[in-house]
Amino acid sequence: MTSDARISTSLPAHPKTKKVIRRLGDGGAWYTVCLFLWTAVNRSDGDLAGLSTEDIELSVDWRGEPNAFVTALKDCGFLDGEEGAYRIHDWAEHNPWAAGAEARSEKSRWAAVCKQHGRKQAAQMMPEYAKRIGEQCLDGATGTDNTATGTNKSSAGTGNELPSAHRRVPLADSGTAGGMRVAAKTSAPSPSPLPSPSPLPEEHEKPSNRSRGTRLPDDWTLTADRVALAKDADPRVDPRREAPKFRDYWLAATGKNAVKANWDATWRNWIRRAGESLGTGVAHTAANDSPASSRPL
């Protein structure tokens, strides 16, 4: 269970927070923080689906007018969705550790089951998770799988098996990466070559690495397309002024938060936050956009 949540140091001065206070009074900001903490513990993915407006207000002990708290958060941009299908705005971006809690727990359970029962049995006990990670359980597989890595231990020979140099390891028990069928290793040369290994069906292929993201390219520059993106995000902001700050900040950044899947989207967000700073009279700095600073929701 998640025991904490990220709250930005700039949250009190954020326009959304000020709007909530204007609608609900000073206590409105505190109830908003309480909702973030409750979500981290009870709905770690930020999805409040199934909760009514009344349920959400009861979760933070709201004592004002019924429906006023949820209505204010939705109007100010802290809540997305509609009755029965609300979600915290950009929760996964601002609270990635809490958002990944369920996935980490499921991965841990999978590892424990594999260690105790073997990979083949684990695929039967956790079929949905096995399907997601590309596992395949073969009903007629030969041998017993007793390891978490899926190493197959064959039973005693019956006299009809191929020699070890020709034997194929069942896919569910081989534990090989990339979903490829792999022949057992041998020190002796094979008298006749085995057929080339064939890939699994498309749905069992390894996920593409493209979604893992990259660092900002060293040659990143302000192109005409990026000027257009900036103008579309906020026409008040001068992209020529922001581009050097954007480039220097992300080239100097370290750690996993310096890796992004879509740098054009990151550039647009930079421009939007620069525009928000103009609206509040707060100078826009790279610190406002730092992933480590827990940007406001």
Side-chain angles (χ1 to χ4, degrees):
M1 180 181 70
T2 304
S3 60
D4 56 21
R6 295 170 60 181
I7 302 296
S8 172
T9 56
S10 61
L11 182 64
H14 197 276
K16 293 180 182 178
T17 307
K18 292 182 177 180
K19 291 177 182 178
V20 168
I21 293 174
R22 174 173 290 185
R23 287 165 172 75
L24 303 176
D26 293 338
W30 168 245
Y31 285 111
T32 301
V33 171
C34 288
L35 179 60
F36 294 159
L37 298 177
W38 184 91
T39 299
V41 174
N42 298 281
R43 296 294 182 94
S44 61
D45 59 358
D47 188 353
L48 307 181
L51 297 180
S52 65
T53 296
E54 183 179 18
D55 293 331
I56 295 174
E57 293 184 343
L58 286 174
S59 71
V60 298
D61 293 326
W62 170 249
R63 299 178 183 178
E65 291 293 326
N67 304 328
F69 176 65
V70 169
T71 299
L73 262 61
K74 185 176 180 182
D75 290 346
C76 298
F78 280 127
L79 273 182
D80 295 332
E82 55 189 13
E83 180 72 19
Y86 289 116
R87 60 186 179 278
I88 305 295
H89 178 73
D90 284 349
W91 176 261
E93 177 182 352
H94 304 296
N95 272 279
W97 178 256
E102 185 174 349
R104 291 194 303 275
S105 176
E106 192 172 29
K107 182 178 180 180
S108 178
R109 291 199 304 272
W110 168 259
V113 173
C114 283
K115 183 176 181 180
Q116 183 175 359
H117 301 287
R119 200 161 190 150
K120 178 183 173 183
Q121 184 65 24
Q124 296 175 352
M125 298 172 67
M126 300 177 64
E128 293 183 1
Y129 184 79
K131 183 178 180 180
R132 288 202 301 273
I133 64 173
E135 295 293 329
Q136 182 180 15
C137 181
L138 300 179
D139 295 336
T142 302
T144 303
D145 179 7
N146 292 318
T147 68
T149 58
T151 303
N152 179 264
K153 297 182 179 180
S154 299
S155 57
T158 61
N160 295 323
E161 307 97 316
L162 287 173
S164 61
H166 298 276
R167 186 179 301 123
R168 283 181 176 260
V169 180
L171 180 61
D173 299 334
S174 66
T176 56
M180 304 295 290
R181 299 180 184 274
V182 181
K185 294 182 179 179
T186 177
S187 57
S190 173
S192 59
L194 292 172
S196 299
S198 57
L200 283 171
E202 183 177 351
E203 61 269 20
H204 294 290
E205 292 179 356
K206 289 185 67 177
S208 171
N209 289 336
R210 291 176 298 175
S211 61
R212 296 181 183 177
T214 61
R215 290 184 57 86
L216 183 72
D218 292 337
D219 60 352
W220 189 95
T221 59
L222 182 62
T223 63
D225 288 341
R226 289 170 183 146
V227 170
L229 289 174
K231 293 300 183 182
D232 182 61
D234 195 321
R236 301 173 300 167
V237 178
D238 183 359
R240 291 173 297 180
R241 178 174 175 270
E242 294 298 326
K245 294 190 291 182
F246 176 84
R247 183 178 185 277
D248 290 347
Y249 176 77
W250 287 113
L251 287 179
T254 59
K256 65 180 181 179
N257 286 321
V259 176
K260 303 294 180 184
N262 188 328
W263 280 107
D264 282 344
T266 304
W267 167 243
R268 287 195 300 269
N269 283 334
W270 181 284
I271 295 298
R272 291 188 186 106
R273 291 188 175 91
E276 290 177 358
S277 296
L278 292 174
T280 59
V282 178
H284 176 65
T285 64
N288 298 126
D289 295 87
S290 167
S293 68
S294 303
R295 292 170 297 197
L297 292 167

